[in-house]
Amino acid sequence: MSFTLDRIENKIEFFEAYDLKTLETKIDAQIENNKALLLDVFSISHQVVFDPNAGKMLYSAVVHFKVKK
């Protein structure tokens, strides 16, 4: 039986919340988790749209993590 480890070089994660504070908290928590994988934030993009079902704004973000060099 062989055991191999592959290092994650890139990781893209998606987040959404109905307020900016919650979105920021989710992203910050995942940044801390990814530090254990030696990943840093490479880029962040975000959007806001109106959710007619909930009657409020929906904030979303895409965070691209890359290996530390």
Side-chain angles (χ1 to χ4, degrees):
M1 175 195 270
S2 67
F3 184 75
T4 59
L5 294 175
D6 289 330
R7 185 173 177 178
I8 298 173
E9 304 253 341
N10 286 295
K11 185 177 181 187
I12 297 175
E13 297 191 40
F14 303 88
F15 303 91
E16 63 181 18
Y18 284 108
D19 63 87
L20 284 173
K21 184 69 175 166
T22 304
L23 184 65
E24 182 181 3
T25 303
K26 288 179 178 182
I27 293 171
D28 285 342
Q30 200 56 35
I31 288 171
E32 289 302 314
N33 290 339
N34 285 330
K35 283 183 181 179
L37 299 173
L38 301 175
L39 297 172
D40 278 337
V41 174
F42 180 71
S43 69
I44 298 177
S45 62
H46 57 88
Q47 268 187 304
V48 61
V49 296
F50 180 74
D51 182 357
N53 295 329
K56 40 184 156 173
M57 302 304 280
L58 178 63
Y59 301 89
S60 62
V62 178
V63 183
H64 181 186
F65 295 94
K66 269 190 156 181
V67 69
K68 291 182 183 180
K69 293 197 178 192

